[in-house]
Amino acid sequence: MIIRIKLYAALGKYLPDGAVKNEADMEVAIGTTPEVAFTSLNVPLEQCHLVLINGLFVPPPERATRTLANGDHLAAWPPVAGGVR
Amino acid sequence: MAWARNLLRVDLSKGTSTNEPLNMEWAQKYLGQRGLATKYFVEEVDPKVDPLSPKNKLIMTTGPLTGTSASTAGRYSVVTKGALTGAIACSNSGGFFGNELKNAGYDMIIFEGKAEKPVYLMVENDSVQILDAAEFWGASVWDTEEGIKTKHGDPLIRVASIGVSGEQGVKFACIVNDMDRAAGRSGVGTVMGSKNLKAVAVRGTLGVAVDDSKSFMAAAAAGKEVLAGNAVTGEGLPAFGTQVLMNVINETGALPTHNHRDVQFEGANNISAEAMAEPRESDGKPNLVTNQACFGCTIACGRVSTIDRNHFSVKDRPEYHKASGGLEYEAAWALGAATGVDDLDALTFANFICNEQGIDPISFGATVGAAMEMYEDGVISTKDTGGIELNFGNAEALCSLAELTGKGEGFGAEIGLGSKLLCEKHGKPELSMSVKGQEFPAYDSRGIQGMGLTYATSNRGACHLRSYTVASEVLGIPEKTDPLETDGKAGLVKAFQDATAAFDSAGLCIFTSFAWTLDDVAPQLDAACEGEWSTDKLLEVGERIWNLERQFNMAAGFTGKDDNLPARLVKDAAKTGPAEGKTNGLGKMLPEYYEVRGWTGDGVPSNETLDRLSL
Ligand code: SF4
């Protein structure tokens, strides 16, 4: 399935090739969680503070358990924009 | 100490100035800056006064920490009855002016009356002169500041002045100091213009003493360590500025777009902090040149930007080719998302003009957004706009209106009325996205519920700087709350309002509160000032200030009915994003808020509350 990954501020450097304006489509396996998606792009998990799926906040404990659905937008910011870890 | 214990009273009608000892009893109850100047203002000014009459007063005021070595301690505020709102106004500015005023030996300057002809005030420590400003009347802020420094042969003079907008009565004129720092909101510059006061120039060399310098050094250093170690104040704000919020708030579905018709903006990522750092296609240079700091600030959130020399706004206008004050989030939102313009250089140009001519970019951009909606709805046409095609997204229209409004000319004079009067004039009051006449800043309260209550109850009209619940609801500071929930927001808003009033009265920048709580501020104040300054006392001072401002507004004619939001936000649901289908739940939050405030069901502070706060 395809999700839209959005990485902002200093996390931008982990975006896959072909990303435009801090976002890219990304093929992931069914059952992928935010942490799995971040790890596959080598984004250090401790740098993911503000994490949103379709704009809704994902609390830290759920980042390893919530599964993404086809078409979901997964966005992350490092601690510079606040957020909690 | 920390206070200079001295204020300057300038009677512009008589052309006199006198020194007065600061009321230290009031200082213990209202701290300084916002709180203490409001106390003076409320004691001295009839609440029903016309903001533009000579009977209105205007106070430029510092806090006890202003001019000390505490981080960000260079702030000053302007307190008056706002020209845009008719409510109590208090606009806070950074830069270096506040520090200079304090170092000249003054806690505040109270301006009364109206000068017969344009004047400026020149203060050099205890030498105070009211001087003829004929040569500067009609000049921009930038030319006035340069002109005064050149005339007096001293580049170290600090100047706070108004542009042509303030002379012309543009309702949201600001007072700009140090070229690009502004006491921006509520039309404080309009009041200054109505007094024929073009500028205040200050040179101060007396120093600022603190009560216990050893403890103060330690407390200030501890505070700086907290700021440096915090990711938002230590890394985020210096690297990205407040503009890091553009994509956050858009993703959260709370970025008011097209005059609040929408809550997400397609072009948000073209006008964000990330976009400012990207090399431009045309000249390979990024918009952002560097960051900059106000006096004594260890955060340095300020932006310095350039515009592509070939951009339509500055082509063949070399005076705008040099680096100048760049976009911060609220300005980028108002000039951009509110108007549907996603051309970063156009926004930067409009922002330069706002600084140069002294207009509040929030009220300006939001009013242009309202005018664009009226234009698209056929309520106004090119006949009204002087030929400007005012469709959403028109970058050229935005840039020309910035210049026209800055000078109060053509359709710019209409924009200069502010959205409330402009929309009323055209029979569409519901299209003004404002509270108490002041335009919203950059957060849609359908997607961030607490901000609806913040705006509705703000004493100076819609404002994010009175209670920034975005910190909690979106960023998780100090703890995460759900932005789509109304539960618990009444208490949250009250807590933010009271704490903010204390920060604003200390001489500090509110951005420290991303890392500091009042627990970090109290030891600095306690060491610097006489008296005991604990967190609890500061919270009480904050609450007292809030209620004092409220009392002034009620005496000025506002009632609980003015604690309201435009129908669009409480009736029309958000169309996209996480808040899709939601309106703001003000109806539920407001009675809860009155209760936690200890106010009656009509929003009047109860006698018990007033007694408790010794008001
Ligand atoms: S944080 Fe920004 S606005 Fe506040 S004092 Fe520092 S540079 Fe100025």
Side-chain angles (χ1 to χ4, degrees):
Chain A
M1 63 179 191
I2 305 277
I3 63 160
R4 173 66 62 93
I5 181 95
K6 303 177 175 181
L7 298 173
Y8 293 107
L11 297 186
K13 60 174 179 271
Y14 299 105
L15 281 159
D17 288 346
V20 177
K21 300 274 177 199
N22 293 79
E23 44 187 273
D25 283 334
M26 181 179 159
E27 171 105 49
V28 296
I30 289 171
T32 295
T33 64
E35 290 206 348
V36 170
F38 295 143
T39 308
S40 74
L41 293 171
N42 299 317
V43 184
L45 293 178
E46 71 279 4
Q47 282 300 308
C48 299
H49 267 229
L50 185 59
V51 175
L52 308 176
I53 297 178
N54 302 326
L56 289 166
F57 180 69
V58 186
E62 292 175 29
R63 292 172 193 171
T65 54
R66 279 265 286 274
T67 52
L68 291 154
N70 191 38
D72 273 353
H73 287 209
L74 173 64
W77 285 261
V80 298
V84 279
R85 174 90 223 143
Chain B
M1 283 191 277
W3 295 280
R5 291 170 161 263
N6 182 28
L7 70 83
L8 184 64
R9 189 177 292 276
V10 177
D11 187 326
L12 292 163
S13 301
K14 292 191 192 132
T16 58
S17 69
T18 43
N19 282 350
E20 269 173 43
L22 193 71
N23 186 324
M24 294 310 293
E25 207 179 301
W26 288 355
Q28 284 296 325
K29 282 176 75 181
Y30 296 93
L31 188 53
Q33 203 163 340
R34 174 173 160 192
L36 188 54
T38 302
K39 175 66 178 165
Y40 272 94
F41 189 81
V42 167
E43 290 290 330
E44 296 185 11
V45 178
D46 174 3
K48 299 258 194 243
V49 75
D50 174 349
L52 301 182
S53 110
K55 292 208 168 91
N56 192 10
K57 298 190 185 185
L58 181 140
I59 306 181
M60 291 185 167
T61 170
T62 63
L65 292 182
T66 305
T68 69
S69 61
S71 186
T72 77
R75 311 291 304 190
Y76 97 105
S77 293
V78 179
V79 172
T80 186
K81 184 170 174 178
L84 183 67
T85 56
I88 190 82
C90 174
S91 291
N92 184 308
S93 179
F96 297 81
F97 178 82
N99 168 62
E100 205 69 26
L101 179 58
K102 186 71 171 288
N103 270 280
Y106 304 99
D107 293 301
M108 59 177 84
I109 308 179
I110 302 178
F111 291 99
E112 316 180 335
K114 175 182 180 176
E116 212 175 293
K117 53 184 179 40
V119 296
Y120 69 104
L121 188 77
M122 180 75 220
V123 177
E124 289 169 277
N125 297 334
D126 55 0
S127 147
V128 178
Q129 294 169 277
I130 300 170
L131 299 172
D132 188 342
E135 67 198 282
F136 303 121
W137 203 250
S140 71
V141 162
W142 291 354
D143 290 343
T144 302
E145 196 167 321
E146 282 299 331
I148 289 178
K149 288 179 181 187
T150 307
K151 183 174 168 186
H152 293 271
D154 185 354
L156 295 176
I157 290 171
R158 298 293 178 179
V159 180
S161 65
I162 56 168
V164 178
S165 65
E167 301 170 10
Q168 294 295 327
V170 167
K171 293 267 187 227
F172 44 80
C174 17
I175 302 174
V176 180
N177 56 286
D178 303 295
M179 306 303 260
D180 54 24
R181 309 304 308 192
R185 301 223 69 192
S186 313
V188 295
T190 322
V191 174
M192 185 157 155
S194 76
K195 300 193 166 308
N196 270 334
L197 179 62
K198 178 68 179 176
V200 179
V202 184
R203 184 78 180 97
T205 56
L206 301 177
V208 176
V210 292
D211 198 37
D212 175 349
S213 47
K214 203 167 156 210
S215 310
F216 180 71
M217 293 293 274
K224 286 175 187 168
E225 218 167 290
V226 173
L227 295 177
N230 179 285
V232 176
T233 50
E235 295 169 50
L237 286 172
F240 300 97
T242 53
Q243 267 277 64
V244 74
L245 287 168
M246 185 63 74
N247 285 313
V248 176
I249 302 301
N250 192 45
E251 197 65 18
T252 306
L255 190 72
T257 301
H258 303 130
N259 199 35
H260 286 67
R261 272 186 183 168
D262 303 305
V263 295
Q264 290 181 305
F265 181 38
E266 262 193 3
N269 55 18
N270 293 327
I271 59 171
S272 63
E274 288 84 354
M276 285 171 75
E278 242 173 58
R280 286 185 281 251
E281 266 173 38
S282 48
D283 65 0
K285 290 185 190 149
N287 173 285
L288 180 71
V289 178
T290 182
N291 64 332
Q292 67 176 348
C294 302
F295 170 83
C297 176
T298 53
I299 302 174
C301 78
R303 305 291 90 186
V304 177
S305 288
T306 56
I307 300 168
D308 182 347
R309 288 167 188 217
N310 290 316
H311 187 260
F312 74 82
S313 59
V314 298
K315 208 167 185 328
D316 306 320
R317 298 178 78 182
E319 67 272 30
Y320 296 108
H321 290 177
K322 48 184 192 234
S324 189
L327 293 162
E328 54 94 37
Y329 171 62
E330 308 297 331
W333 161 76
L335 302 170
T339 65
V341 175
D342 70 351
D343 174 339
L344 185 63
D345 276 334
L347 269 51
T348 306
F349 176 75
N351 194 57
F352 282 8
I353 300 298
C354 287
N355 289 333
E356 184 184 23
Q357 290 300 356
I359 51 177
D360 169 17
I362 301 181
S363 283
F364 166 70
T367 303
V368 171
M372 284 174 161
E373 181 160 5
M374 288 198 286
Y375 183 86
E376 292 209 341
D377 287 353
V379 178
I380 57 172
S381 68
T382 45
K383 281 205 192 94
D384 302 284
T385 64
I388 298 173
E389 290 182 15
L390 209 47
N391 301 88
F392 280 118
N394 186 341
E396 284 89 349
L398 176 77
C399 292
S400 12
L401 281 177
E403 296 201 85
L404 288 170
T405 308
K407 294 187 175 149
E409 289 172 358
F411 190 62
E414 302 269 301
I415 294 291
L417 293 171
S419 68
K420 182 167 182 278
L421 292 182
L422 181 67
C423 292
E424 275 171 5
K425 183 175 166 184
H426 293 285
K428 289 279 170 191
E430 69 279 11
L431 293 186
S432 168
M433 294 297 116
S434 62
V435 174
K436 299 183 179 82
Q438 179 159 287
E439 289 73 19
F440 291 113
Y443 313 89
D444 195 294
S445 60
R446 289 165 290 196
I448 308 177
Q449 292 286 320
M451 289 309 284
L453 184 60
T454 286
Y455 296 147
T457 60
S458 162
N459 288 330
R460 71 165 188 179
C463 175
H464 58 297
L465 293 172
R466 286 296 170 272
S467 145
Y468 194 67
T469 61
V470 177
S472 165
E473 295 180 274
V474 178
L475 308 176
I477 302 168
E479 60 187 34
K480 186 76 176 75
T481 52
D482 186 342
L484 299 175
E485 268 299 327
T486 51
D487 282 353
K489 294 298 161 65
L492 187 75
V493 167
K494 176 186 181 290
F496 269 89
Q497 286 173 337
D498 293 349
T500 301
F503 272 90
D504 286 348
S505 302
L508 300 171
C509 175
I510 191 62
F511 291 167
T512 55
S513 69
F514 283 115
W516 287 352
T517 66
L518 288 176
D519 289 338
D520 299 285
V521 177
Q524 302 186 59
L525 281 168
D526 195 50
C529 307
E530 302 100 307
E532 302 283 316
W533 290 93
S534 63
T535 300
D536 284 349
K537 178 167 169 182
L538 287 173
L539 278 173
E540 189 187 283
V541 166
E543 188 178 4
R544 182 177 296 126
I545 294 165
W546 192 265
N547 279 273
L548 180 72
E549 292 172 341
R550 177 80 176 183
Q551 281 182 299
F552 178 86
N553 283 350
M554 301 223 117
F558 290 96
T559 68
K561 290 203 176 69
D562 298 297
D563 297 335
N564 212 342
L565 295 171
R568 177 165 283 178
L569 300 176
V570 288
K571 294 216 173 89
D572 302 351
K575 291 182 227 156
T576 62
E580 188 178 336
K582 274 205 168 278
T583 55
N584 183 268
L586 181 66
K588 178 172 170 291
M589 293 184 286
L590 193 60
E592 293 169 6
Y593 172 83
Y594 286 168
E595 206 180 320
V596 294
R597 276 257 167 243
W599 294 354
T600 67
D602 296 331
V604 180
S606 69
N607 287 338
E608 234 173 43
T609 301
L610 296 178
D611 282 350
R612 179 169 58 78
L613 296 169
S614 325
L615 275 167

